Amino acid sequence: MSQVDIKTMPFNRESLDSLSDKYYANYPVVYFLNNDTTVYIGETVAVRNRMKNHLNNQERKSLNKMSLIIHDRFNRSATYNIETKLINYFLADERYKLQNKSQTAKSVVHNYHNKPYFDEEVFGDIWDELLKRKIVDHPRTAIENKDVFKLSPFKELTIEQLELQLKIIEVCEKHIADEQTFVFLIKGEAGVGKSVVLSSVFNRIQELSKEKDSNLHGKENYLLVNHSEMLKTYKKIAGNVKALSKKNFEKPTVFINKRKKLEKKAGIVLVDEAHLLLTKPDPYNSFTEENQLQEIIRHSRVVIAVYDDKQVLKMKSYWDESKLDSILGACNTEEPYELTNQFRMRASSEMVKWIDQFVEKKITSLPEHPNYDFRIFESAAKMYEAIRAQNEKHGLARIVSTFDYVHKKDKQEYYIEEEGFKLPWNGDYKNDTWAEHADTIREAGSIYTIQGFDLNYAGVILGPSISYDEETDTLKILTEKYKDTEAYRGKDEFEDSESIKEKIILNSLNVLMKRGIHGLYLYASDPKLRARLKELQRKERL
């Protein structure tokens, strides 16, 4: 058991004076200052001097309690680590608004002596004690399953992600005053951490917009995402972070229509999931121009867009390299930056490669996957039982499916039905993201519900559109069996509409199969494909 000591006292000069003869007055400690609604978290090796500075800070004067977290084995690396973790956990706990600013210098993932001990045992004891004292509301397991936690702008970044964060900020500062709009494109497949970087960058940009000596001072910046579920998460984060405001997070159409009325360019506009931007008019969604990216560029000084052509899901937002090049051709830009390291799936590179080949219609021998729970089921009902068991144990385990079963937006209930199995499609949970709502274990998620989010375990139903060609030993895509009629809207405008339909279905499959952090379960509706997958599983066991 680690020896964590948390001392809480009033945040005033008398309390500071009482620390003068304590050994931890000049020793690494982690601390937080709070009142009933707001918190500031930090670390220091000179607690009295640091607190004197805070007492002279106008913003900190509203905080009336001081808690010092002490451990006789603390070192600077450990306190940096625990400080960062506390910031992220307090944010996802959603009880307090954070006064903290970005920690660019400290926010990179690094190892240090005995890190697992501090990272797990010591931090676990700290959080348990905070729960016991009713300073926080949620246990670690609940927090770690929240999308707010996973998209926190204070997350530790890898070296690759930190380099990208610094590159984006450099681009923004350099080009914010350009006459011609500057566009910076970031590419990366599902699970490489694109949204985490964007969340971190936007928080830092908004901080800089409030600093008088910054090139970005006073600029009006936005983060756009054409995805209702992700917008909910971003707005939740904004509600609890000092530098952010919910009004700076919008859907692209809302942003474009507002800018047209104002006739004034925004400063920096970040676009998450840019592959969801419309590439043609969509009057139903109040977009009457030709292309959303083109309009965003027209109404912004700097545009930062993250993009994955393997996640395009509709004809009306169909992107390929040539379309992208035609939009960016007139812009001030540079070579796209590509993120490559897979962070979501705790799977071997061979397991990820197998999925990549599968969504290219290739069926190959099953790889070794000792640390990743990959299973193939002959029964959708049995797969659902396994998912329910994982949800009881770990939380955030859900059934998801290709869009091969009727699902309409008319407030009626529609079902996915297979032999011995019947589950309703996902409902609308307003301000809650679908997977985080406890009741959704009794539903199946669609591609539109789960895109961009993590699950601990994903049970994927490969519906009737995913078939098997016995002659070529490859997947066979039956586009006529895909029930997402909205995805095909505008197909007559494409000469090669059949190949684009197939790409949309395969893209949806790619997104669904890369949701699970710890495990992927598969059930194929098509009997031929189901038999082929079970054959592969039998060979693996020999």
Side-chain angles (χ1 to χ4, degrees):
M1 186 70 165
S2 62
Q3 299 303 308
V4 171
D5 187 10
I6 302 178
K7 298 185 183 297
T8 298
M9 59 197 80
F11 180 44
N12 57 34
R13 295 194 182 276
E14 289 75 17
S15 294
L16 297 195
D17 291 341
S18 72
L19 302 177
S20 59
D21 60 345
K22 309 297 187 205
Y23 82 91
Y24 50 80
N26 294 294
Y27 194 83
V29 299
V30 182
Y31 65 88
F32 60 90
L33 310 173
N34 70 289
N35 56 27
D36 291 340
T37 60
T38 308
V39 68
Y40 177 87
I41 300 159
E43 64 80 39
T44 184
V45 292
V47 67
R48 291 183 71 220
N49 287 340
R50 188 74 179 115
M51 293 307 149
K52 284 178 184 176
N53 291 336
H54 283 316
L55 281 171
N56 292 326
N57 182 302
Q58 192 63 37
E59 193 174 22
R60 306 283 181 269
K61 285 185 178 179
S62 64
L63 308 177
N64 54 30
K65 293 178 187 173
M66 171 176 68
S67 295
L68 307 180
I69 302 171
I70 303 155
H71 193 288
D72 60 9
R73 293 171 65 184
F74 269 168
N75 56 64
R76 290 307 293 275
S77 291
T79 56
Y80 283 149
N81 184 189
I82 288 171
E83 174 197 25
T84 301
K85 285 177 75 84
L86 276 175
I87 290 169
N88 287 300
Y89 279 74
F90 265 90
L91 172 62
D93 190 57
E94 297 184 75
R95 180 166 171 176
Y96 304 92
K97 189 176 182 76
L98 284 168
Q99 284 190 357
N100 285 77
K101 293 179 68 175
S102 299
Q103 299 178 293
T104 306
K106 302 178 188 177
S107 298
V108 62
V109 175
H110 72 281
N111 287 317
Y112 58 88
H113 178 65
N114 227 358
K115 182 176 182 179
Y117 168 71
F118 291 105
D119 212 30
E120 292 300 322
E121 186 175 337
V122 174
F123 185 79
D125 287 349
I126 291 169
W127 197 258
D128 288 346
E129 183 62 24
L130 296 179
L131 269 172
K132 183 179 173 183
R133 298 188 188 190
K134 298 184 178 178
I135 294 170
V136 295
D137 295 331
H138 298 93
R140 287 176 69 196
T141 50
I143 281 175
E144 288 162 3
N145 282 337
K146 284 188 171 189
D147 291 311
V148 169
F149 177 75
K150 293 168 185 174
L151 278 184
S152 165
F154 303 105
K155 270 291 208 207
E156 280 189 316
L157 303 177
T158 64
I159 293 292
E160 181 190 30
Q161 290 174 322
L162 183 62
E163 286 175 352
L164 176 56
Q165 182 208 52
L166 295 173
K167 170 70 174 173
I168 294 170
I169 292 167
E170 178 188 313
V171 161
C172 292
E173 290 178 327
K174 182 178 178 181
H175 295 285
I176 190 63
D178 290 0
E179 285 297 317
Q180 187 179 20
T181 302
F182 188 89
V183 180
F184 186 58
L185 192 67
I186 300 149
K187 294 185 178 182
E189 294 190 20
V192 298
K194 300 183 298 296
S195 296
V196 171
V197 175
L198 222 56
S199 179
S200 171
V201 165
F202 192 62
N203 186 54
R204 183 60 188 143
I205 285 170
Q206 291 301 81
E207 289 173 353
L208 290 170
S209 73
K210 296 172 177 65
E211 295 180 7
K212 291 183 179 179
D213 59 349
S214 169
N215 289 354
L216 307 183
H217 179 251
K219 298 298 182 284
E220 190 179 0
N221 311 309
Y222 292 88
L223 194 155
L224 311 181
V225 61
N226 209 11
H227 188 315
S228 298
E229 296 292 305
M230 288 201 75
L231 192 59
K232 290 176 190 176
T233 300
Y234 278 124
K235 289 197 172 190
K236 278 185 184 178
I237 291 170
N240 289 301
V241 175
K242 167 190 167 185
L244 301 178
S245 174
K246 292 181 182 181
K247 67 184 176 68
N248 295 101
F249 295 84
E250 291 183 341
K251 282 197 168 183
T253 299
V254 173
F255 168 82
I256 291 164
N257 291 341
K258 280 184 181 178
R259 288 288 123 186
K260 279 168 59 182
K261 288 181 181 178
L262 290 170
E263 296 183 347
K264 179 185 175 184
K265 283 190 174 186
I268 300 158
V269 176
L270 279 65
V271 187
D272 199 2
E273 308 278 352
H275 41 268
L276 301 180
L277 293 174
L278 297 171
T279 55
K280 58 182 63 185
D282 186 12
Y284 177 77
N285 287 302
S286 304
F287 180 66
T288 55
E289 278 75 24
E290 293 302 313
N291 182 289
Q292 283 191 326
L293 179 58
Q294 196 169 35
E295 292 304 309
I296 291 167
I297 291 169
R298 181 174 292 149
H299 295 295
S300 314
R301 294 197 172 278
V302 177
V303 175
I304 311 293
V306 297
Y307 163 79
D308 177 12
D309 65 351
K310 291 185 179 178
Q311 294 194 56
V312 173
L313 301 174
K314 293 182 178 181
M315 294 279 196
K316 67 182 182 183
S317 58
Y318 181 74
W319 290 95
D320 56 23
E321 291 298 326
S322 62
K323 186 177 285 289
L324 198 56
D325 289 344
S326 69
I327 297 295
L328 299 181
C331 298
N332 187 7
T333 187
E334 58 183 67
E335 283 297 309
Y337 189 104
E338 188 160 4
L339 283 169
T340 56
N341 293 325
Q342 173 63 239
F343 294 108
R344 177 181 293 120
M345 298 171 65
R346 307 285 171 83
S348 65
S349 57
E350 289 78 13
M351 183 73 244
V352 176
K353 183 179 178 182
W354 186 87
I355 295 172
D356 287 339
Q357 291 178 323
F358 190 77
V359 298
E360 290 172 358
K361 303 198 293 184
K362 301 170 188 172
I363 297 177
T364 57
S365 299
L366 297 185
E368 290 187 7
H369 44 91
N371 300 314
Y372 192 72
D373 189 1
F374 177 52
R375 306 188 211 175
I376 293 165
F377 289 80
E378 290 186 87
S379 158
K382 291 279 178 63
M383 183 171 79
Y384 182 43
E385 286 176 17
I387 285 292
R388 287 184 71 99
Q390 293 291 17
N391 191 60
E392 283 290 318
K393 190 173 181 181
H394 302 287
L396 215 61
R398 294 291 184 272
I399 292 289
V400 294
S401 175
T402 53
F403 214 125
D404 290 318
Y405 308 84
V406 174
H407 186 193
K408 297 179 181 178
K409 291 182 178 180
D410 58 4
K411 298 186 179 179
Q412 301 298 311
E413 198 154 64
Y414 293 91
Y415 295 88
I416 293 173
E417 293 189 61
E418 291 290 327
E419 185 177 350
F421 174 84
K422 183 178 181 180
L423 208 64
W425 275 115
N426 54 264
D428 181 3
Y429 290 87
K430 296 183 179 177
N431 293 326
D432 292 332
T433 49
W434 176 76
E436 289 183 11
H437 202 287
D439 291 344
T440 61
I441 187 59
R442 293 186 285 274
E443 298 177 348
S446 77
I447 184 66
Y448 303 115
T449 307
I450 205 65
Q451 186 177 27
F453 293 108
D454 297 346
L455 295 171
N456 284 327
Y457 294 84
V460 180
I461 294 174
L462 308 176
S465 72
I466 315 294
S467 185
Y468 175 63
D469 188 321
E470 293 170 296
E471 290 185 10
T472 60
D473 189 27
T474 59
L475 289 187
K476 184 177 182 180
I477 306 302
L478 307 177
T479 59
E480 70 278 5
K481 294 196 174 184
Y482 198 58
K483 302 298 184 186
D484 185 5
T485 53
E486 183 65 20
Y488 290 168
R489 194 179 300 279
K491 64 182 184 298
D492 296 336
E493 298 175 29
F494 295 90
E495 290 182 11
D496 56 345
S497 63
E498 197 60 29
S499 67
I500 295 174
K501 285 181 186 177
E502 182 174 291
K503 181 174 171 59
I504 284 171
I505 294 171
L506 291 169
N507 283 352
S508 72
L509 188 58
N510 180 57
V511 171
L512 293 175
M513 291 179 72
K514 290 180 178 175
R515 291 305 99 191
I517 297 170
H518 301 292
L520 167 65
Y521 301 168
L522 290 180
Y523 165 79
S525 173
D526 180 78
K528 292 184 291 183
L529 178 57
R530 190 160 67 243
R532 180 67 178 111
L533 291 174
K534 289 303 292 183
E535 181 187 359
L536 287 175
Q537 191 170 59
R538 283 192 293 271
K539 286 180 180 178
E540 180 198 24
R541 290 172 178 170
L542 292 176

